[in-house]
Amino acid sequence: MNVSVIYFAVAVAVAFALYYIFPLRYRWIVLIVVSLGFYAFMSTYALVFVVLTAIGVYFGARAVHKRNARLAVALENATQPQRADDCDVPKIRGGAHFSDPDSLKRSAKRKNKAVIVTTVLFNVAVLAFLKYYNFFGSAFCSLLALCGADIGFRALELALPMGISFYTLSAIGYLTDIYRKKYEPERNFFKILLFLSFFGTIMEGPICRYDQTGRELTEGHRADYNGIMHGVQRIIWGVFKKLVIADRAYVLVNTIASNAAEYSGAANLLFMLLYTVQLYADFSGFTDITIGTAEMFGIKLPENFRQPFFAESAQGFWQRWHITLGSWLKEYVFYSVALSPVITKLSRKLKKKSKNHFTKILPTGIALLCVWLCNGVWHGPQWNYIVYGLYYFVIIFGGMLTEPLFDRLYAKIKVDKNRVALRIARHVRTLIIIIIGETIFGANSLGDALHILGYLFVPYRGSILALGLDWYEFVVLGVGVIAVFAVDLVKEKNIRIRESIDRLALPLRWSIYIACFAVTVMFGAYGSAYTNAPFMYGNF
């Protein structure tokens, strides 16, 4: 079993044993001690980075807040009549005197922006160096070699701190919100440290915002039987997804991914289908474990998945898949680009020259391109991740471009685009888009992804049963997938499963708990007969 899973389970057990013993106002201290302990056991080296991030974020936010407070006092003084020799002329640090309120605001805004940008760039630089130095350094040197300047490249052995991509985004979001005056900064450094290093979210998210979870983590919660049991239910469900489905699918997926050039046809199709299933079961499974763990402490974390395979479009899929990453990119990348002075000016110029559909959505397209490039690069230093992001950009922006054409077509042939047959067709189309996208994402390299897709219709001469799974394993996997999608279908119909279970008689309710646990233990893909499968987003 993966050592991180063992440490995580121990962290949950220790935190739960101590949390409700401490007085309400001090219960957050248990969480931060356990979180730092968990991180230290995983890697003392990595702990240094999250602490440095917390220090930079804390002091950067406090500096902005203090300058805003001084600005408020200066503005109040600036509006009062003053004598020429009055020594209380509003003064901004640095020696400059102003009597114009607008000058005061511009000066403070400029300095606040410098603080935020410097702090953000420092954190991004650390992430970029540790995660992308070898990738972009090698690519740059290869480009120079093509131009006749072969300088060589020496790769560095860099250890990537656990969860750095997740807590860096949370840190940037917090700083940006403080700059935008969305809320006041936290005065207690250790509460910021807990927000960034909480053991429940540090490995695979969800990506939290301080106004959503900051106080949830620190205010202290009373023991609630239903909340604790809901947490346990969700943990069991997440473990079921991971052990019964994801780790079993991993056997076949890993076999093909390791030697992609040797396979074609049915084997490639199985890879495409099972990798998509594996990724969903693994990532959403750990998210269930994370959210369930938080529920045991009375903490509500943001949802990260909402029945994504029931979406009718690629855009709809990304509103349901990795929701916290999508909302983060929308809030801090899309709006920042779309509302920037350069894009705003471009939009006005385009509208003056022509008011067609393309010029109308082009600024949105530029912002979307930035979003999807960030999405691809965030996932890791591989070309297939970057192509994966661009793949979705082309599909989503292409859909926006052609939407008026299809609307006119439906109107011309007098077809209701919401009729059942067309909705089913859109679902099927979206599933195909998703599966192709996950193939690009899941292959070991871009070349492997192209081979898998390119040889999909070349007959496979080998035996499917030689790919790592026998008929028994396929049956267990199939039943597990049906169970997961049946639950998603029920949730799609807005039926609250856990509340329905709560209304059952106690013996029946506990029979369900025990049965789910027993099924997971009996049919889980673990032990010496299976390859140790890591959590797929643990490396991000």
Side-chain angles (χ1 to χ4, degrees):
M1 184 176 289
N2 195 304
V3 66
S4 61
V5 176
I6 297 173
Y7 285 152
F8 181 79
V10 171
V12 173
V14 171
F16 187 72
L18 297 176
Y19 187 78
Y20 292 111
I21 295 175
F22 275 63
L24 202 65
R25 61 184 297 186
Y26 298 119
R27 288 178 179 172
W28 68 273
I29 297 176
V30 173
L31 297 181
I32 190 170
V33 170
V34 172
S35 296
L36 297 180
F38 170 66
Y39 218 116
F41 271 106
M42 292 296 295
S43 172
T44 306
Y45 156 86
L47 180 61
V48 172
F49 286 94
V50 71
V51 172
L52 285 175
T53 296
I55 291 172
V57 166
Y58 175 78
F59 285 105
R62 294 295 299 164
V64 168
H65 179 67
K66 288 179 180 178
R67 183 169 287 109
N68 287 338
R70 290 198 299 271
L71 173 64
V73 173
L75 289 174
E76 183 178 352
N77 292 335
T79 58
Q80 297 175 0
Q82 296 179 346
R83 300 187 306 273
D85 60 344
D86 197 335
C87 63
D88 291 329
V89 175
K91 182 178 181 181
I92 298 295
R93 184 174 294 182
H97 293 265
F98 299 94
S99 58
D100 180 11
D102 290 336
S103 297
L104 291 169
K105 292 176 183 178
R106 285 195 298 270
S107 176
K109 184 177 181 179
R110 184 175 62 253
K111 292 178 180 179
N112 283 343
K113 189 174 183 178
V115 170
I116 295 300
V117 169
T118 301
T119 309
V120 168
L121 287 179
F122 171 76
N123 285 283
V124 171
V126 171
L127 173 63
F129 177 74
L130 294 175
K131 193 170 184 177
Y132 306 106
Y133 171 78
N134 288 333
F135 174 72
F136 285 111
S138 176
F140 180 69
C141 289
S142 298
L143 182 62
L144 290 179
L146 291 175
C147 300
D150 190 359
I151 62 174
F153 176 72
R154 183 179 178 182
L156 301 178
E157 294 184 6
L158 299 171
L160 190 66
M162 179 181 66
I164 186 171
S165 296
F166 292 98
Y167 71 68
T168 298
L169 293 192
S170 293
I172 293 172
Y174 174 76
L175 285 168
T176 305
D177 288 344
I178 295 300
Y179 176 74
R180 294 174 177 175
K181 300 180 182 179
K182 189 175 180 180
Y183 45 79
E184 291 191 357
E186 175 56 55
R187 294 175 176 272
N188 189 320
F189 165 75
F190 292 101
K191 291 184 178 181
I192 291 294
L193 183 57
L194 172 59
F195 167 66
L196 296 176
S197 66
F198 177 52
F199 69 89
T201 59
I202 195 67
M203 289 177 66
E204 294 194 22
I207 299 165
C208 299
R209 302 187 195 182
Y210 194 77
D211 56 325
Q212 292 176 328
T213 59
R215 291 182 178 83
E216 285 280 319
L217 290 169
T218 58
E219 65 183 1
H221 301 272
R222 300 184 186 279
D224 176 69
Y225 174 79
N226 285 334
I228 293 171
M229 291 310 303
H230 282 182
V232 172
Q233 292 168 18
R234 190 143 186 185
I235 290 172
I236 294 173
W237 183 237
V239 173
F240 172 85
K241 287 182 182 178
K242 169 66 175 169
L243 292 183
V244 177
I245 300 174
D247 288 4
R248 182 167 273 104
Y250 173 77
V251 176
L252 184 145
V253 167
N254 189 52
T255 298
I256 297 176
S258 300
N259 298 283
E262 298 181 5
Y263 299 99
S264 61
N268 288 10
L269 179 61
L270 273 175
F271 173 88
M272 295 170 68
L273 294 173
L274 292 190
Y275 182 81
T276 303
V277 167
Q278 181 202 357
L279 182 61
Y280 177 57
D282 189 288
F283 193 16
S284 70
F286 192 81
T287 298
D288 287 329
I289 294 171
T290 295
I291 294 176
T293 298
E295 284 183 318
M296 291 173 61
F297 301 100
I299 297 166
K300 184 177 181 180
L301 296 179
E303 292 291 343
N304 221 14
F305 293 89
R306 185 170 53 83
Q307 301 83 253
F309 296 105
F310 290 92
E312 293 187 19
S313 66
Q315 187 172 4
F317 171 76
W318 275 96
Q319 291 170 348
R320 296 162 171 258
W321 175 282
H322 207 169
I323 296 169
T324 56
L325 175 62
S327 63
W328 191 97
L329 290 170
K330 180 180 179 180
E331 179 71 23
Y332 302 110
V333 177
F334 180 84
Y335 287 134
S336 297
V337 173
L339 300 178
S340 65
V342 173
I343 299 300
T344 303
K345 186 177 180 180
L346 173 64
S347 180
R348 285 199 296 264
K349 285 185 176 180
L350 290 174
K351 288 178 181 179
K352 286 181 180 179
K353 292 184 178 181
S354 175
K355 292 187 177 180
N356 60 44
H357 180 64
F358 176 75
T359 57
K360 181 180 178 182
I361 68 170
L362 182 59
T364 299
I366 295 171
L368 278 177
L369 177 60
C370 295
V371 165
W372 287 107
L373 277 174
C374 289
N375 185 303
V377 171
W378 179 85
H379 278 94
Q382 291 180 207
W383 283 114
N384 51 318
Y385 292 148
I386 296 172
V387 172
Y388 172 77
L390 293 176
Y391 167 80
Y392 272 105
F393 164 72
V394 170
I395 288 173
I396 292 174
F397 188 60
M400 294 172 63
L401 279 173
T402 57
E403 185 178 9
L405 295 176
F406 281 100
D407 287 342
R408 286 198 294 270
L409 176 63
Y410 288 136
K412 187 173 182 178
I413 62 178
K414 298 180 180 180
V415 172
D416 181 7
K417 64 180 181 180
N418 292 316
R419 64 190 302 179
V420 175
L422 287 177
R423 292 191 63 189
I424 292 173
R426 286 197 294 270
H427 279 296
V428 173
R429 176 203 61 188
T430 302
L431 285 174
I432 293 172
I433 289 171
I434 293 167
I435 292 168
I436 292 173
E438 300 305 355
T439 302
I440 297 171
F441 183 88
N444 286 343
S445 68
L446 182 58
D448 285 353
L450 294 175
H451 176 87
I452 291 168
L453 293 169
Y455 282 75
L456 181 60
F457 298 104
V458 176
Y460 176 60
R461 304 300 181 184
S463 171
I464 295 300
L465 298 180
L467 299 177
L469 298 179
D470 57 24
W471 285 118
Y472 166 80
E473 299 286 357
F474 275 116
V475 170
V476 173
L477 181 59
V479 172
V481 170
I482 291 171
V484 168
F485 282 92
V487 169
D488 277 3
L489 177 61
V490 172
K491 292 167 68 176
E492 184 70 7
K493 295 182 177 296
N494 293 318
I495 298 174
R496 298 180 178 275
I497 298 175
R498 293 191 293 178
E499 284 77 357
S500 299
I501 293 175
D502 288 343
R503 291 192 290 269
L504 298 176
L506 184 63
L508 182 57
R509 193 161 68 236
W510 274 93
S511 295
I512 293 174
Y513 301 156
I514 294 170
C516 290
F517 179 77
V519 166
T520 302
V521 171
M522 287 190 293
F523 296 104
Y526 58 89
S528 58
Y530 297 93
T531 305
N532 186 21
F535 282 100
M536 298 174 74
Y537 264 67
N539 294 325
F540 296 140

